[in-house]
Each structure stands twice: as C-alpha cells, then as structure tokens.
C-alpha cells in the first residue's frame, strides 16, 4: 500500500530487509475513496484543480474514471510524504470551500471534513499500533480524529481509515500515517486493491458490467465455483509469483484439518500455493508463495486474508468469553 511499485503489482519476490521503501527512496502512494461529487471538485473544470495541486505540491495525483451506476471513485496521490500530506490538506480545503453549509462545519473557523484512506489490511497494525497506541498518538499530535474499519472492502484486502478534522489537522495526520506505512512497506506487498464497481463485483474488471454472481476472477465466463483454468487447458502464459508472510500461529487455520482449507483456496482460486516449513526471519512468520494468473492470485489473496480475519475474530471472541467467565 505504501507504494504502487512494479514489484508490488506483479508480485515478484523482494528481499525482506527493512528499508524505507521499495525503491530505496521515500516515495509514498496513498489512495482514498471519494464520492463522484468530491472527485469533480478535486479535478476541477478542465482539470484545473488537480493540475494546480500537482504544481503546488510536486505530487502525482489522479482519480479513476467514472463507472455508470457507481457513485465512488478512487483518488491516488503519490510523492514525498510531505508532498502527499500537503496535497491531501489542500484537497480537504477544496472540499470544505465547495460545501460550506455542511452540517459538520458550524462556522468558518472550525470547518472540518473527512477523507477515507484505503489502507492495506496487512499495514493496519502499523497505523493502529499495539493496543491502539499508535493511532492515539497520531490523533493527539495532529488534532484529527481517526476511525479504522474492521472489515476489508469487497473483493480486496484493503480497509478504510477515516480521518476527520480541519484541513491542517488532516494533513498532519496523513504525514504521520505515511511515515508509518513507509516503515513497514513490505507488509503491503501483494495487496488486492479495492475498485468500486457495480455491486462491488470485480469480475467486470471495472468495465461497468453488472453481474448477479461472482465468478472468482473468471471474467464472467464460467460458473461461480469454476477455477480460472482447468488442468486440461493449455497453461496460461501470464503467470505471476507473489510472496506473503503469515504469522506462524495463524498458519494452521489457513491449512485447516488435513489440509482442507488450503486445498479449497487452491481450488477456488486456481493458483498454486506453497508454504515454507520454517519461519523466514526473526519475526517468526512463514512465507506463502502463490503462483498463478493475476486474477487467480488476487482471488487467492482475498481468500487467504478472509480466512485470517475470521480466525482473528474467533480468537478475540474466545478471549472475551474467557474474560467474562473470570469476571
């Protein structure tokens, strides 16, 4: 999530040393979910506003195209941490100026708005911190209020972090969020990005096609339970390899009893998934290697992260039950 580099998109293996960013430089790419109306304000007439934004901050910025029947678009801002933070502060100022009568803006001196950042599920820990200490520190130092969603967005491994406050406080918060994301950029590798679409169904590949059932990345050609390709078909030529790290204590829940869970994930996605027998570094995490078409790998990642999320919720519920019994 911290950077939309080629390595991140094609999933090519990367070294697991702690470095500031994939390219060795402090380049941050931060996405946000905006309404169609907000997107129009950000772009401006003839693209003037977004052009001015790029010139003032030195960032690259753009908004995804309109999809008929879809009322949300994705804003992407990339550049230095300071530039990205300044750009988002200017964007929030534009939104406030264009909507002065908002219920959240009682008067000009206390005008507030919010921005919905898209953060990789794997990077949420870097933003929230242990026991929520990091997110609390960001709120205290910036003056902004932050709310992290619990669920991943449909057909993706991204979650929303809503940052609310004045344009200045949101800018300060985003600068701190950006630094936290760059520190742990490797954990964002393999992120399945959220793309707003009709019924949040990505099988249309953002073409605006509507569908009543999901087809596991099969572009609508097969049954919902069919893998993208069968063993009897010629092997696809656009195979990709992606590596993700899973905490050792969570590996069992992904494999399942007698391997039933991982077998099901392989079958539904069409990707080959292998699991390292030993942790790959001092973190104690084990490497999962996923090989398949880009569509199959996205499905595999989505299923893997969903299984992780379900297990985490189950464990939290069990701990809560134990605490209630002790009380």
């Amino acid at each position: 999530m911290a950077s939309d580099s080629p390595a991140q998109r094609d999933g090519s293996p990367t070294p697991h040393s702690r470095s500031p960013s994939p390219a060795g430089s402090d380049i941050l790419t931060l996405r946000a979910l905006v309404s169609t109306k907000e997107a129009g304000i950000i772009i401006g007439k003839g693209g003037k506003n977004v052009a001015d934004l790029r010139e003032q901050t030195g960032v690259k910025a753009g908004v995804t195209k309109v999809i008929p029947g879809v009322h949300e678009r994705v804003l992407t801002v990339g550049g230095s941490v300071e530039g990205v933070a300044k750009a988002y502060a200017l964007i929030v100022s534009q939104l406030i100026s264009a909507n002065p009568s908002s219920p959240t803006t009682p008067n000009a001196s206390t005008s507030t708005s919010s921005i919905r950042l898209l953060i990789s599920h794997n990077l949420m820990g870097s933003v929230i911190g242990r026991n929520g200490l990091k997110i609390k520190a960001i709120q205290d130092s910036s003056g902004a209020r932050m709310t992290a969603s619990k669920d991943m967005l449909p057909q993706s491994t991204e979650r929303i972090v809503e940052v609310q406050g004045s344009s200045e406080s949101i800018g300060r918060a985003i600068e701190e969020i950006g630094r936290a994301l760059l520190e742990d950029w490797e954990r964002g590798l393999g992120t399945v990005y959220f793309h707003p679409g009709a019924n949040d169904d990505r099988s249309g590949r953002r073409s605006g096609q509507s569908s009543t059932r999901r087809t596991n990345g099969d572009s609508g050609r097969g049954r919902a339970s069919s893998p993208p390709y069968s063993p009897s078909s010629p092997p696809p030529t656009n195979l990709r390899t992606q590596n993700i790290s899973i905490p050792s204590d969570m590996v069992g829940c992904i494999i399942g009893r007698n391997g039933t869970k991982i077998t099901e994930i392989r079958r539904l996605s069409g990707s080959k998934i292998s699991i390292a027998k030993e942790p790959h570094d001092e973190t104690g995490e084990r490497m999962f290697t996923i090989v398949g078409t880009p569509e199959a790998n996205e499905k595999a990642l989505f299923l893997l992260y969903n299984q992780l999320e379900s297990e985490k919720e189950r464990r939290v519920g069990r701990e809560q039950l134990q605490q209630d019994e002790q009380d």
Side-chain angles (χ1 to χ4, degrees):
M1 181 70 199
S3 177
D4 197 4
S5 67
Q8 186 174 358
R9 296 299 292 171
D10 64 17
S12 55
T14 54
H16 282 264
S17 60
R18 290 289 173 191
S19 57
S21 70
S25 58
D26 297 327
I27 300 301
L28 173 73
T29 299
L30 194 58
R31 290 155 34 96
L33 201 59
V34 296
S35 68
T36 301
K37 180 182 177 181
E38 290 170 337
I41 295 167
I42 293 166
I43 295 168
K45 189 173 183 179
K48 183 182 184 303
N49 288 352
V50 75
D52 290 345
L53 183 76
R54 293 169 183 150
E55 186 176 343
Q56 291 176 46
T57 62
V59 301
K60 294 181 179 179
V63 182
T64 53
K65 294 180 179 179
V66 174
I67 299 174
V70 178
H71 304 293
E72 290 179 319
R73 297 164 71 179
V74 175
L75 164 69
T76 302
V77 181
S80 67
V81 175
E82 296 81 2
V84 170
K86 182 179 178 182
Y88 271 103
L90 290 172
I91 287 167
V92 171
S93 291
Q94 288 176 340
L95 298 178
I96 290 173
S97 298
N99 190 26
S101 60
S102 169
T104 60
T105 58
N107 58 64
S109 63
T110 59
S111 295
T112 63
S113 187
S114 64
I115 202 84
R116 294 175 294 164
L117 301 178
L118 294 170
I119 306 291
S120 170
H121 172 73
N122 266 11
L123 284 165
M124 288 298 282
S126 305
V127 175
I128 296 173
R130 188 181 296 276
N131 298 321
L133 292 177
K134 180 68 175 179
I135 196 171
K136 185 178 185 302
I138 294 174
Q139 291 181 111
D140 290 345
S141 62
S142 68
R145 181 175 180 178
M146 296 167 59
T147 305
S149 66
K150 293 182 179 179
D151 299 322
M152 289 182 285
L153 291 162
Q155 296 295 292
S156 80
T157 56
E158 288 188 306
R159 289 159 62 183
I160 288 176
V161 174
E162 184 171 4
V163 186
Q164 183 176 16
S166 66
S167 59
E168 293 81 5
S169 64
I170 289 176
R172 288 193 294 268
I174 286 178
E175 184 169 348
E176 293 193 48
I177 291 169
R179 296 191 189 284
L181 294 176
L182 285 180
E183 286 177 7
D184 282 334
W185 67 267
E186 299 149 14
R187 293 186 180 276
L189 297 177
T191 298
V192 181
Y193 295 100
F194 176 65
H195 299 288
N199 300 321
D200 284 324
D201 185 353
R202 296 189 63 202
S203 63
R205 311 308 300 168
R206 305 189 300 281
S207 64
Q209 299 171 353
S210 61
S211 174
T212 57
R213 62 192 306 183
R214 291 175 178 157
T215 57
N216 298 330
D218 196 20
S219 299
R221 289 192 299 271
R223 296 186 303 273
S225 59
S226 299
Y229 58 91
S230 64
S232 59
S233 304
T237 58
N238 60 336
L239 294 180
R240 298 287 185 271
T241 299
Q242 290 182 258
N243 294 301
I244 63 168
S245 298
I246 302 291
S248 291
D249 66 335
M250 301 293 281
V251 171
C253 79
I254 290 177
I255 295 174
R257 189 182 297 274
N258 298 322
T260 52
K261 292 287 186 183
I262 193 67
T263 298
E264 181 73 356
I265 291 172
R266 288 171 177 143
R267 184 184 70 81
L268 289 172
S269 67
S271 290
K272 294 181 179 180
I273 304 172
S274 58
I275 306 166
K277 293 183 179 180
E278 301 293 336
H280 58 81
D281 61 16
E282 69 278 0
T283 65
E285 296 185 339
R286 301 216 345 233
M287 186 71 73
F288 278 54
T289 300
I290 306 167
V291 181
T293 64
E295 293 82 4
N297 287 359
E298 282 193 359
K299 184 64 177 178
L301 286 164
F302 175 71
L303 293 169
L304 285 168
Y305 285 128
N306 258 5
Q307 185 64 24
L308 277 175
E309 192 71 14
S310 297
E311 176 65 14
K312 288 177 182 177
E313 290 178 0
R314 189 187 70 81
R315 292 185 184 187
V316 169
R318 185 175 62 189
E319 291 173 2
Q320 185 63 49
L321 184 62
Q322 290 174 346
Q323 289 179 0
D324 292 344
E325 289 176 350
Q326 290 174 359
D327 293 342

